[in-house]
Amino acid sequence: MLADIKSFTRDELIAPFKSWNLPGYRLDQVLKWLYEKRASSWAEMTNLPKALRDQLAQHYSLHALELVRKQGSRDTTQKFLWKLSDGAMIESVLIPANPALYGEASDRHTLCVSTQVGCAYGCKFCASGLEGWKRNLRVDEIVEQVLATERWAATESSGFRVLSSESTVGEQPETKNPKPETRLVNNLVIMGMGEPLANYDNLLKALRILNAPWGGGIGARKITISTSGLAPQIRKLAEEPLQFRLAISLHGATDETRNKIMPVNRRYPLAELTGACEEYQRKRERMITLEYILIAGVNDALRETKPLAALAHRLNAKVNLIPYNKVEDLQWVRPTEEVQEAFLAALEELGVTATLRREKGHDIDAACGQLRLKTERELAKKPE
Ligand code: SAH
Ligand code: SF4
């Protein structure tokens, strides 16, 4: 199978384009078609000679994600279920204009991106891990989630305004930074299905492409990677030249609580995880976010706030409290609002910077993995 052109960086494409004796600006035209105009076929690239389009088609594939199902009403959070070329399904979630939880305040849009089909880490509360791990996403499949979402948003019925409809492809051969207003998605959270740091190389390459001025043009500081706690990869991430934001899915501030719900904690217990986070923090000088889902009777007792506050202070981290979203077939439930508010107040009392997601309509805001699970189960029930 040919590799998709969106899995290559500009530098990697220079040599093949040179070997075809093309003028230098051709590559930049192609990149504009891919990342500004979000072309999903070679035929759309009308200002390229037919011979070049044929040559490209012989050397690279150009896959677009296929939309299988979408949840969400106009102008609100949209959840997409995409089908990949091998039939596997993944989710992305588009969260509109929101004083961003993870980046700086923003009036634009955040996309929650998947990195694997399923997940091998098996956290007890999570839908993504319920049916195990199938495979890593390729670089182009990670990149395509942004482009396919924007392609959908550009359709009239979406209710979203995408500002780049009239681009200048072909008129300016030199590489030009995409105008900031050309992207609908300007914040990324790598919090969809899968454990991002278990697909490290593909994720990092996809993020380089989504960050590059010739590619997605999304600032590294607008990209948050969430991990369940793969300590060695956190240390590796600390060495990367790009300054991504880091969120840790903590969900328990003692080994005892974390062991109950997150098997990964047996491999990388808290001492090791926090050591890696301290290294990240030292090298990056970036604030880490600790994600803490509140699950009734599991980690929502007030006595848990003390070790949580100690950890937050040690890592100079802020804490995001997230009321648990019910997953079909799992017994866990979210605590009452009173319990949530009391937990938040106790943390603040201990001097921690904390937020509580007070969400409405959490059936659609629910974490990734649930729409896929539901659809796969429905498909399995249907007679052939
Ligand atoms: N594997 C990575 C990223 C994907 S999960 C990680 O675990 O960080 C993204 C976030 O959603 C994690 O913090 C995860 O713990 C959380 N999550 C999973 N299931 C959830 C649920 N049912 N309700 C609320 N948050 C959930
Ligand atoms: Fe995997 Fe993250 Fe879900 Fe845990 S919470 S099973 S690591 S996707």
Side-chain angles (χ1 to χ4, degrees):
M1 201 178 78
L2 296 177
D4 193 287
I5 190 159
K6 281 165 286 178
S7 55
F8 296 100
T9 62
R10 186 177 187 278
D11 280 353
E12 290 172 330
L13 293 170
I14 288 175
F17 272 66
K18 264 212 177 114
S19 73
W20 299 337
N21 290 321
L22 296 169
Y25 64 84
R26 288 294 183 209
L27 173 55
D28 293 319
Q29 284 181 314
V30 171
L31 294 171
K32 280 187 180 186
W33 278 111
L34 296 172
Y35 299 108
E36 258 187 55
K37 299 277 272 182
R38 311 171 196 92
S40 55
S41 70
W42 305 112
E44 278 169 65
M45 303 185 183
T46 44
N47 64 346
L48 302 183
K50 173 83 168 57
L52 173 54
R53 281 186 265 149
D54 291 345
Q55 209 156 16
L56 285 167
Q58 276 167 24
H59 289 83
Y60 304 102
S61 60
L62 181 56
H63 292 292
L65 296 180
E66 184 192 330
L67 184 61
V68 184
R69 200 166 173 180
K70 190 191 68 66
Q71 276 182 349
S73 46
R74 279 178 81 90
D75 296 331
T76 63
T77 298
Q78 306 285 330
K79 200 169 198 180
F80 303 91
L81 186 68
W82 308 110
K83 195 191 254 177
L84 307 176
S85 42
D86 64 352
M89 290 190 277
I90 54 160
E91 290 178 27
S92 321
V93 183
L94 180 64
I95 308 148
N98 180 342
L101 272 172
Y102 301 97
E104 288 129 43
S106 159
D107 60 348
R108 305 296 283 282
H109 297 77
T110 297
L111 190 72
C112 176
V113 170
S114 291
T115 52
Q116 301 185 308
V117 182
C119 185
Y121 286 82
C123 303
K124 301 267 169 54
F125 48 79
C126 176
S128 292
L130 263 184
E131 315 234 305
W133 176 86
K134 288 220 177 84
R135 69 172 174 88
N136 280 334
L137 293 190
R138 299 188 312 255
V139 174
D140 58 290
E141 290 169 330
I142 298 172
V143 171
E144 247 295 301
Q145 291 174 60
V146 173
L147 303 175
T149 299
E150 292 186 340
R151 242 176 251 133
W152 169 84
T155 59
E156 291 217 349
S157 57
S158 78
F160 282 82
R161 230 158 45 88
V162 180
L163 298 153
S164 71
S165 50
E166 285 317 309
S167 170
T168 49
V169 170
E171 285 157 29
Q172 290 148 303
E174 79 280 9
T175 312
K176 189 167 63 71
N177 282 10
K179 297 178 258 15
E181 70 271 22
T182 61
R183 283 254 92 85
L184 173 81
V185 173
N186 72 339
N187 263 295
L188 293 180
V189 291
I190 316 303
M191 297 191 180
M193 190 184 298
E195 169 46 57
L197 297 187
N199 187 10
Y200 191 94
D201 292 343
N202 288 353
L203 171 68
L204 266 281
K205 191 170 183 190
L207 293 184
R208 276 195 289 276
I209 293 172
L210 287 167
N211 167 257
W214 50 262
I218 302 172
R221 289 154 189 240
K222 303 287 181 74
I223 301 176
T224 302
I225 301 174
S226 173
T227 177
S228 60
L230 307 200
Q233 283 90 331
I234 292 171
R235 291 181 197 274
K236 204 168 152 193
L237 196 63
E239 305 293 336
E240 295 288 340
L242 286 176
Q243 303 247 341
F244 302 114
R245 286 172 190 270
L246 182 65
I248 306 293
S249 293
L250 194 68
H251 312 329
T254 60
D255 282 323
E256 192 196 347
T257 304
R258 219 168 175 257
N259 280 343
K260 276 194 224 152
I261 47 178
M262 301 182 75
V264 68
N265 197 65
R266 295 190 188 269
R267 197 138 133 232
Y268 306 114
L270 276 174
E272 199 164 338
L273 174 57
T274 46
C277 290
E278 277 177 327
E279 186 178 329
Y280 184 91
Q281 233 257 320
R282 217 176 27 248
K283 294 212 168 125
R284 304 270 76 159
E285 292 174 27
R286 285 228 156 270
M287 205 178 210
I288 292 176
T289 304
L290 301 177
E291 307 280 327
Y292 197 98
I293 315 178
L294 287 166
I295 311 177
V298 174
N299 62 1
D300 63 341
L302 287 181
R303 72 182 125 79
E304 306 271 355
T305 56
K306 245 191 158 167
L308 179 53
L311 247 174
H313 287 311
R314 198 171 130 205
L315 297 175
N316 185 27
K318 59 179 175 178
V319 175
N320 258 346
L321 299 174
I322 307 156
Y324 182 66
N325 279 306
K326 181 89 186 106
V327 175
E328 214 183 295
D329 292 355
L330 296 182
Q331 81 270 31
W332 318 98
V333 289
R334 63 165 58 175
T336 61
E337 275 173 29
E338 292 70 53
V339 171
Q340 297 171 24
E341 297 289 348
F343 199 93
L344 173 68
L347 273 184
E348 286 175 335
E349 189 67 21
L350 292 165
V352 176
T353 310
T355 53
L356 168 64
R357 196 184 291 172
R358 296 179 180 88
E359 46 190 357
K360 294 186 184 70
H362 55 83
D363 46 329
I364 154 81
D365 281 345
C368 259
Q370 302 192 44
L371 187 58
R372 164 176 171 263
L373 192 69
K374 191 166 141 196
T375 306
E376 286 193 336
R377 286 184 177 170
E378 281 169 16
L379 289 174
K381 269 189 229 148
K382 266 191 203 149
E384 285 296 309

